[in-house]
Structures are given as structure tokens and as C-alpha cells.
Amino acid sequence: MKVLVLNCGSSSLKYQFLDMENEEVLAKGLVERIGFEGSCLTHKRPNADKYYVETPMENHEVAVKLVMDALMDSEHGVIKDVSEIYAVGHRVVHGGSKFADSVVVDEDVKASIRECFDLGPLHNPANLMGIEACEAAMPGVPNVAVFDTAFGMGMSEEAFLYAVPYEYYEKYQLRRYGFHGTSHKYVSGRTIEFGELPEGHRKVIVCHLGNGASISASIDGKCVETSMGLTPLEGLVMGTRSGNVDPAVVQFIAHHENMNVDEVLNVLNKKSGVLGISGISNDFRDIEMAEAEGNARAKMANDVFHHSVIKTIGGYAAIMNGVDAIAFTAGVGENGPETRERVCASLGYLGVEIDKEKNKVRGVERLISTEDSKVKVFIIPTNEELAIARETLALVK
């Protein structure tokens, strides 16, 4: 049974095609600049040269058709016919309060995704375009929506409610949802499995650290806290996002810079974070390099980022009354030994002790804590595409 996984952005489309008999990735690729000049597809099979196509793509329907052509290409493809595609799994960023689990897409589901456009204005419209493009290109093939917010729906009211008039929650479902949920669900479950955590000792904190960054706390794989909120802007300092700020900051900037609310939020989403502090880059590799060269603002940006991570881990350990395992994942979490070491150096009060030699790796699944550490510390590479494919198969099988 072969499953196609799509992650649609406003002008891009990432995909993986998996054989779920053995969970092997048969092909993967990226379509870029949909609707713009220079639109292109890069298609890759294991142990084969990349297949690159540059051609006009006015919308996602054209992009999906190009993906299908690549998958069925006589030289670079991996299937002969659309009938070999068992189902399509879609990453959908915001499911609102309606979806706590993945669902097979029908007209009601599409309407609900559309209703969440104001909650996920940058992502949900593109996610829905991807679904409808697949329906047009592959009639009869089931589509499954896997929601980024579903994992956070496990939180209790004291964790998800904002202390604003309750009527806003009743009228608009204004609450904390959390994002990166597919990654957090996968990594927390994999931490339990890989770490052989016994029942009663499955309090896990997952640090999904990258340009977008979030932390979750879960018990037995169920989310009890997560750092992002109504939108992905809340929580940690990130590449371009500010993370938590005093809400009055919005008013202050608006008044002093003669901006409206939307313009200020654009600053907080796209011009802040380590980019805003450093003035250099939103890429943590650039920040670390600049810090090593003595750049004071780069060091400041890194310090602020690490401080936000350390503070959040401590809070979540308190919420769960302890922690059994901490897992680092995503771009910085998986590939940043310096970040892992800096963060763990401040967690000695929890009994965290990492093995510095074991920590000197990038992108591998590994236990990096010492035998004496009271908390196990892991690197667990995330695999959102596999998680989406598994959810898809489970629903349509």
C-alpha cells in the first residue's frame, strides 16, 4: 500500500511517497514558486540523481499534476499508474477545536478547514488547495487531513484557556492550540519506544527546535502542555518570531512606529526572534558562526533563545511534577550539539547530565545522557511525513 504525503504552503509543495508495507520512502520532492515566475520541481529517489523540472505553475492543481507526472515518469518515476496510490495524507495546520484526531476528508471537513482560515491564514488556504488539487488529479483516491493542532487538543482547560473574558472562548474558540503537533506526537511516542520507558515513568518533554520552535510536555504520549498558542507566534524565541511578549508591546510599537495591528504582527512574525536581535540572520548556523567570531548581538540572540528553552523546560517539569525523558528534535535540536549542551547545562537541578562525547553527533537517534543521569536525554529525529502516512493508512485501510 503506497501513500502520498503532501505539505502545501502558499507557494510551495513538499511531498513524500512511501510504501507502507515496509515504510520505505520511494520518492520525495519539493515544488517551489507556485504562481510565480521560475516555478520548479525537484524530485528525488533513493540512490538516484535528482530530477529537476522548471515550468510555469499557476496554481496547486498544476503543481500536483506535475508531482503525479514525476511519480509516473518512465525514467525517474516509481509507479506506472495513479491506481497504485492508495491514499493521500495532507498536513493541515489548523483544525480549530473541532478536530482532535485525523479525519478522512469529505465536504464537511473541507468546510471546517475553510472556517479556520482566520486562525491559520498563512497555511490553511494552501492546505485546502492541496486537498482539492488531489481530488481533481486523483478522483476516488481518499484524502486524509492530519492536523498540526490535534496533539494539543489533549490539554486540559487550565492549560489551554487564556485569561480573557470567557465569552471569547465560547464565541470564537479563542484558546491555545499548539502547533508542530505531528512532530511532537511522533517524537514523544518514539522516545517512549526507543528509550524503553516503563509505565509510570513516561513524562516526556520534547524540544522541537528550529527556525520555528516549540516545546511540549506529555504523559504516556498525551499532551499536557505545549508552548505555541492560538497561533505559532506564542512561546519560544524563534528564527523570525518573537515568541512571548507583553501584549502591550503591540500597542507600543503601533503608536511609536505609526503601524496598525496587522503591520506590528508582521514584525513579530517575520522580523523578530534571533533575526531581530542579531540583525544578521534567522539561521541558527549563521548566528553560532557570528558568535564564535565575537559578534556581541549574535551571542545575545543565542542567549535569549536558550534562556527561553531552559525556562520552558523548567516550567513543564513543574507542571508534570517531574520528567523522565527530554528529547531534542528538528533542525537545531537534531543537529545542534552546542545548543543541547547549553540547555542541559542549566538542568542539573533536575538531575540531567549529558555525556559530551555522545552528544557530538548530528541527526542520529541516540541516548546522550550519562548512566548516572536521573533524566534520560535523547536525540530523536522527527519524521512528520511517516507519522502522517501512518495516520492516513490507519484511517483508510
Side-chain angles (χ1 to χ4, degrees):
M1 296 178 181
K2 299 179 178 70
V3 172
L4 176 63
V5 174
L6 293 188
N7 181 355
C8 290
S10 58
S11 62
S12 65
L13 186 164
K14 290 194 294 185
Y15 65 93
Q16 278 196 15
F17 190 55
L18 300 95
D19 184 345
M20 296 307 292
E21 295 293 335
N22 52 14
E23 297 188 340
E24 176 188 2
V25 177
L26 301 177
K28 60 182 178 180
L30 172 65
V31 182
E32 299 175 273
R33 300 186 60 79
I34 299 170
F36 296 94
E37 186 177 346
S39 51
C40 59
L41 173 144
T42 304
H43 176 83
K44 183 76 169 66
R45 294 176 300 155
N47 305 313
D49 292 336
K50 289 181 180 179
Y51 173 48
Y52 179 82
V53 178
E54 184 170 337
T55 185
M57 284 177 267
E58 60 180 306
N59 54 39
H60 285 71
E61 187 170 340
V62 176
V64 167
K65 186 177 186 308
L66 196 66
V67 170
M68 301 308 303
D69 290 344
L71 290 173
M72 294 185 292
D73 184 83
S74 59
E75 184 178 352
H76 305 283
V78 291
I79 58 174
K80 293 181 179 180
D81 189 80
V82 173
S83 63
E84 294 184 51
I85 300 176
Y86 189 69
V88 184
H90 299 262
R91 177 181 181 245
V92 179
V93 168
H94 217 304
S97 59
K98 187 169 184 177
F99 297 107
D101 294 293
S102 304
V103 292
V104 177
V105 174
D106 58 19
E107 291 303 316
D108 289 339
V109 170
K110 289 195 291 183
S112 296
I113 293 171
R114 193 173 286 109
E115 289 170 6
C116 291
F117 277 10
D118 60 338
L119 293 172
L122 298 178
H123 299 94
N124 270 44
N127 302 153
L128 183 58
M129 282 191 285
I131 290 171
E132 292 179 335
C134 286
E135 289 176 333
M138 295 171 274
V141 176
N143 290 271
V144 171
V146 180
F147 297 96
D148 227 21
T149 50
F151 186 64
M153 294 301 290
M155 292 187 289
S156 59
E157 286 187 335
E158 66 258 34
F160 73 67
L161 282 177
Y162 287 117
V164 297
Y166 192 71
E167 65 189 84
Y168 297 154
Y169 171 62
E170 293 178 307
K171 289 165 65 175
Y172 310 117
Q173 294 299 294
L174 183 67
R175 52 159 285 173
R176 298 180 65 247
Y177 289 95
F179 296 87
H180 297 146
T182 305
S183 174
H184 283 290
K185 182 178 180 180
Y186 173 83
V187 174
S188 59
R190 182 58 187 158
T191 299
I192 292 170
E193 180 184 25
F194 181 72
E196 299 180 343
L197 304 185
E199 290 187 16
H201 297 277
R202 293 176 176 176
K203 297 175 180 178
V204 177
I205 292 174
V206 172
C207 301
H208 179 111
L209 307 180
N211 183 52
S214 61
I215 297 180
S216 70
S218 62
I219 300 175
D220 292 325
K222 181 182 179 182
C223 179
V224 297
E225 258 291 2
T226 191
S227 59
M228 288 177 166
L230 175 72
T231 74
L233 182 57
E234 184 181 352
L236 304 177
V237 173
M238 306 177 217
T240 64
R241 296 185 185 124
S242 64
N244 292 337
V245 296
D246 181 343
V249 166
V250 176
Q251 182 189 50
F252 187 93
I253 295 173
H255 286 172
H256 285 75
E257 295 290 327
N258 193 28
M259 294 181 178
N260 60 36
V261 171
D262 290 342
E263 290 170 332
V264 176
L265 287 180
N266 185 63
V267 170
L268 297 181
N269 269 297
K270 298 182 178 180
K271 300 179 181 180
S272 301
V274 296
L275 170 63
I277 296 174
S278 71
I280 296 170
S281 175
N282 66 308
D283 191 315
F284 285 88
R285 293 168 296 187
D286 296 337
I287 300 295
E288 287 185 356
M289 188 179 303
E291 180 182 355
E293 294 171 352
N295 186 298
R297 282 178 59 181
K299 181 181 186 307
M300 191 186 308
N302 242 342
D303 288 346
V304 172
F305 168 66
H306 293 130
H307 181 86
S308 72
V309 173
I310 293 162
K311 179 170 63 174
T312 304
I313 291 173
Y316 288 2
I319 289 292
M320 294 192 294
N321 193 22
V323 56
D324 299 305
I326 298 171
F328 289 91
T329 194
V332 177
E334 296 171 24
N335 300 294
E338 299 86 356
T339 289
R340 296 191 295 263
E341 185 172 341
R342 285 196 200 188
V343 169
C344 290
S346 293
L347 303 178
Y349 69 97
L350 292 174
V352 171
E353 185 178 339
I354 66 166
D355 185 315
K356 292 185 179 181
E357 288 302 313
K358 290 181 180 179
N359 185 45
K360 291 179 181 178
V361 293
R362 300 177 186 273
V364 299
E365 193 172 63
R366 173 178 283 191
L367 173 71
I368 60 171
S369 51
T370 66
E371 291 185 6
D372 296 331
S373 181
K374 293 180 181 179
V375 178
K376 292 184 176 182
V377 182
F378 299 93
I379 305 168
I380 303 289
T382 191
N383 195 333
E384 294 177 84
E385 290 81 9
L386 177 58
I388 292 171
R390 286 174 175 173
E391 299 252 342
T392 300
L393 185 64
L395 281 170
V396 300
K397 192 172 182 179

